[in-house]
Amino acid sequence: MKDSEHRKILFISPAFFGYEKEIRTELLKRGEEVDFFDERPKNTTITKALIRVNPKLISKITRQYYRKVFSATRLKKYDFVFIINIESMDVDLLKELKSQQRDAVFILYMWDSIKNKKNVTDVIPLFDRVFSFDENDALKIESVLFHPLFFIEKYLSKSSSN
């Protein structure tokens, strides 16, 4: 890839206090082309609870949601698929996305401990790179690399003005 070309990133993350917007904004500032989709099919309290308790209860809704995502992205070839805190996307959906984006590098970042997320250990082998903010994850799982929480520049100016 030439330096002058923008890298194309498919960014999938839960909506969480605007962090996903900040991350997307930073990638755009760096000249990347970014398409964002929420990791959850819906952002309601009930949906979040069902995903954590038993994702199979809403698997039909999740599959319908990801069919729309895959349809919207199928003609685009991404350089990277960057997923944060995977929870609702199961192994089969991830495999389907990988078959659609064969040349992309798949990156997973967990900003929650892997032990708190069911089925994450099932999807880890499907990623090219896996990072966790939790050092224990990196110590326990060989393919997981420790990476502390990300940094948002606007908070630097707030802390230095105090």
Side-chain angles (χ1 to χ4, degrees), residues 108-157:
L108 173 64
Y109 181 77
M110 295 300 296
W111 64 28
D112 196 3
S113 294
I114 290 172
K115 69 180 179 185
N116 295 336
K117 301 293 181 187
K118 294 179 181 180
N119 305 322
V120 171
T121 53
D122 295 338
V123 299
I124 286 175
L126 298 172
F127 285 90
D128 298 299
R129 298 183 197 134
V130 179
F131 301 91
S132 175
F133 90 101
D134 186 342
E135 191 171 16
N136 288 324
D137 290 345
L139 292 171
K140 291 178 182 176
I141 305 169
E142 186 177 334
S143 60
V144 175
L145 300 171
F146 174 62
H147 194 285
L149 293 176
F150 53 87
F151 171 78
I152 298 174
E153 198 170 313
K154 77 176 185 179
Y155 296 122
L156 177 64
S157 62

Side-chain angles (χ1 to χ4, degrees), residues 10-99:
L10 175 56
F11 176 36
I12 301 172
S13 171
F16 186 73
F17 295 104
Y19 289 151
E20 75 289 351
K21 293 176 187 167
E22 294 287 344
I23 294 167
R24 183 175 184 272
T25 298
E26 185 60 33
L27 291 169
L28 291 169
K29 283 191 330 191
R30 293 174 184 233
E32 313 300 356
E33 185 179 324
V34 182
D35 291 331
F36 170 77
F37 292 91
D38 197 316
E39 201 274 334
R40 300 179 190 117
K42 294 182 181 178
N43 225 340
T44 65
T45 304
I46 292 171
T47 301
K48 292 176 194 177
L50 289 172
I51 289 169
R52 289 189 184 117
V53 173
N54 188 351
K56 290 181 182 178
L57 294 174
I58 62 163
S59 65
K60 184 176 180 180
I61 293 168
T62 302
R63 291 196 178 290
Q64 288 172 342
Y65 170 73
Y66 276 105
R67 293 282 172 263
K68 291 177 185 173
V69 171
F70 297 164
S71 178
T73 59
R74 71 181 170 81
L75 296 179
K76 205 163 199 183
K77 296 303 170 207
Y78 293 96
D79 300 299
F80 297 94
V81 174
F82 177 37
I83 302 177
I84 293 181
N85 233 42
I86 193 166
E87 194 170 36
S88 65
M89 188 186 302
D90 63 22
V91 169
D92 291 335
L93 288 169
L94 186 56
K95 283 180 178 178
E96 187 173 338
L97 180 57
K98 282 188 70 79
S99 72

